[in-house]
C-alpha cells in the first residue's frame, strides 16, 4: 500500500472538497453503518466540464455505480475510475438532499444545536463550490457513494437502508486533475438523520497497465480514458 | 416490460384551436416560451423519435429542470401522465397532463459529439448531436453549457432492471402518439429533435415532430 499523502475525516452532515491530481487515488471509507457521501466531480482545469451521470451510466449500460466503471464528464473524458469497492452498488439516480427535505425532521438551527445543526447536502456542496468560484449552475447529478436505491422493471425506486457497514470503502483513481466536492449529509431518501462520518485519503498509485480493469471493462470505458489522456497531453 | 399495459391519458384540447403549431424537423431544435397555465403537446408524427427536452423557469434560468430531483421525489424512474417535472429548487415547473405513449425516459441524457465518440467511436465525432442543438438554440436567451442539466427524452425507452442494469430499446411510441405538459409557471422549453443514428432511440431513422400550444396569445 502506497503512502497516504492526505488523510481527512469528514464528520457526518458536513461537506469538504479536495483537488486530486491525475494518477492519485481517493479512498473513501464509511466509519459507521449507513454512511452516505454525495459526490460531485469537476475537471480542475476546465470551467464547465463536470461529471455527467446519464452519459456515465448509458455508456456502461448500468443504473448503478460500481467498480471498475469510469466516471465520465460532459465532454466525454474520464474524470475518475472506480478502481475498487467493498460494495457493488452506489446510487447515482437520486441526486443530493435539499433543505426542503430536512423540514420533515423538525426545526434545526446553529443557535440550538451548534455544530450538530442539520444542513442538506445541497447547502454543503454549494458552500464548497463557492470557495472554488463555482455556484448553483455548476451543481449536477452526484454519485451517492455507500447508498443503494433499488430499481424495478416498472421504474419504482426503493431506498435500501443500512446498505453500508462500518469499514465499507470505495477507491477513485483520478484520470485527470479533478476537483472532488462531497457531502456526508444523509441520502435524500433516508428517513433518518444519523449522519455517519467518512474518512477520505489520497494516495499515489502506479500507472495503470494494459490489463487495468477500468481499461478492459468496456470499449466505451477505454475511449473515455483515452480522451482523458488527450486532456493531459 | 414486454406485455405491460402502459397507462394512457388522452387530451381534450383541439389542435384546431392551438396558438402554436410548428413542425421541428429531424435533427433540428426549438426554443419557445410557454406562459403559466399554457399547454404544450409534442406529437411523435412518425413514431420512435426521441425528443430531448429541457425546461427552465423563464424568470430565472438557474431554476432549471432536474431529472434526479424529479425521479427521486416521485419514487419513479420513468415519466408518464401525472408526473410533476421538478426544478433544482424542487419547484414544479410543469405537469404531464396527457400521454398516449405511456412512458418516457429522463435518465439517459442527451447525445453529444463527445459522448458519441465514447459510445460509438471516433468516426462519429462530427455527427450532429443534441447537446450542440441545445447550445445553439439556448444561446438566444443566454442558456450556455453551464446551464445544461440532464434532460427528458420524450418517447424514448431506457428500461432499468432489478439488478441495476440499464439498456436502450426500441421505442414504445408510434405514429401520432403524443405527450402534453402544462406549464406551472412561465417556462422556456428547449428541444432537440434527436439526430442520433447509432442506437435504436429514433428507430435508426430520425423523423420530424409537431409542437402544438394552447395559451392566451
Ligand atoms: Zn440526441
Amino acid at each position: 500500500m502506497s503512502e497516504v499523502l492526505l488523510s481527512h475525516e469528514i464528520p457526518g452532515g458536513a461537506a469538504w472538497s479536495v483537488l486530486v491530481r491525475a494518477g492519485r487515488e481517493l479512498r473513501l471509507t464509511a466509519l459507521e453503518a449507513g454512511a452516505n457521501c454525495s459526490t460531485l466531480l469537476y475537471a480542475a482545469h476546465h470551467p464547465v466540464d463536470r461529471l455527467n451521470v446519464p452519459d456515465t451510466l448509458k455508456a456502461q449500460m448500468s443504473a448503478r455505480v460500481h467498480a471498475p466503471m469510469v466516471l465520465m464528464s460532459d465532454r466525454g473524458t474520464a474524470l475518475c475510475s472506480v478502481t475498487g469497492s467493498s460494495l457493488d452498488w452506489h446510487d447515482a439516480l437520486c441526486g443530493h438532499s435539499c433543505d426542503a427535505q430536512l423540514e420533515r425532521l423538525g426545526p434545526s438551527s446553529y443557535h440550538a444545536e451548534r455544530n450538530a445543526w442539520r444542513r442538506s447536502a445541497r447547502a454543503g456542496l454549494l458552500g464548497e463550490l463557492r470557495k472554488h468560484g463555482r455556484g448553483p449552475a455548476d451543481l449536477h447529478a452526484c454519485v451517492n457513494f455507500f447508498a443503494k436505491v433499488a430499481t424495478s422493471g416498472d421504474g419504482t425506486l426503493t431506498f435500501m437502508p443500512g446498505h453500508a457497514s462500518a469499514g465499507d470503502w470505495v477507491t477513485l483513481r483520478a484520470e485527470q486533475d479533478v476537483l472532488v466536492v462531497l457531502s456526508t449529509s444523509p441520502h435524500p431518501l433516508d428517513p433518518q438523520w444519523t449522519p455517519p462520518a467518512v474518512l477520505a485519503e489520497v494516495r499515489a498509485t502506479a500507472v495503470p497497465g494494459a490489463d487495468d480493469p477500468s481499461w478492459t471493462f468496456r470499449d466505451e470505458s477505454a475511449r473515455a480514458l483515452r480522451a482523458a489522456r488527450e486532456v493531459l497531453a | 416490460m414486454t406485455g405491460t399495459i402502459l397507462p394512457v391519458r388522452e387530451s381534450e384540447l383541439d389542435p384546431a384551436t392551438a396558438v402554436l403549431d410548428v413542425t421541428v424537423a429531424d435533427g433540428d431544435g426549438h426554443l419557445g416560451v410557454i406562459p403559466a397555465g399554457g399547454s404544450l403537446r409534442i406529437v411523435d408524427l412518425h413514431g420512435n423519435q426521441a425528443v430531448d427536452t429541457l425546461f427552465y423557469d423563464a424568470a430565472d434560468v438557474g431554476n432549471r429542470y432536474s431529472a434526479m430531483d424529479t425521479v427521486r421525489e416521485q419514487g419513479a424512474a420513468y415519466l408518464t401522465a401525472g408526473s410533476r417535472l421538478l426544478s433544482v429548487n424542487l419547484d414544479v415547473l410543469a405537469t404531464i397532463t396527457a400521454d398516449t405513449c405511456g412512458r418516457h425516459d429522463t435518465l439517459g441524457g442527451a447525445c453529444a459529439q463527445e459522448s458519441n465518440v465514447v459510445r460509438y467511436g471516433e468516426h462519429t465525432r462530427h455527427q450532429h448531436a443534441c447537446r450542440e442543438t441545445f447550445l445553439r438554440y439556448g444561446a438566444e436567451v443566454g442558456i450556455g453549457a453551464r446551464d445544461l442539466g440532464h434532460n427528458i427524452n420524450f418517447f424514448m425507452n431506457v428500461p432499468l432492471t432489478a439488478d441495476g442494469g440499464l439498456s436502450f430499446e426500441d421505442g414504445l411510441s408510434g405514429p401520432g402518439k403524443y405527450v402534453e405538459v402544462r406549464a406551472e409557471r412561465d417556462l422556456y422549453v428547449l428541444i432537440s429533435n434527436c439526430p442520433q443514428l447509432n442506437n435504436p432511440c429514433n428507430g435508426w431513422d430520425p423523423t420530424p415532430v409537431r409542437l402544438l400550444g394552447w395559451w392566451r396569445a
Side-chain angles (χ1 to χ4, degrees), chain B residues 43-49 100-101 155 171-178:
Chain B
V43 186
D44 188 2
L45 291 173
H46 300 274
N48 271 357
Q49 177 60 21
T100 62
C101 175
F155 308 114
L172 301 164
S173 189
K177 294 206 177 188
Y178 63 82

Side-chain angles (χ1 to χ4, degrees), chain B residues 50 52 109-112 116 128-131 153 192-196 201-202:
Chain B
D52 293 44
C111 63
N116 280 345
H128 292 290
C130 285
R131 193 175 172 87
N153 295 302
S192 169
N193 192 21
C194 183
Q196 183 57 252
C201 73
N202 298 324

Side-chain angles (χ1 to χ4, degrees), chain B residues 79-102:
Chain B
L79 304 180
T80 188
S83 296
R84 291 165 295 125
L85 309 181
L86 303 185
S87 74
V88 291
N89 297 331
L90 303 186
D91 294 323
V92 184
L93 297 179
T95 304
I96 300 181
T97 48
D99 178 15
T100 62
C101 175

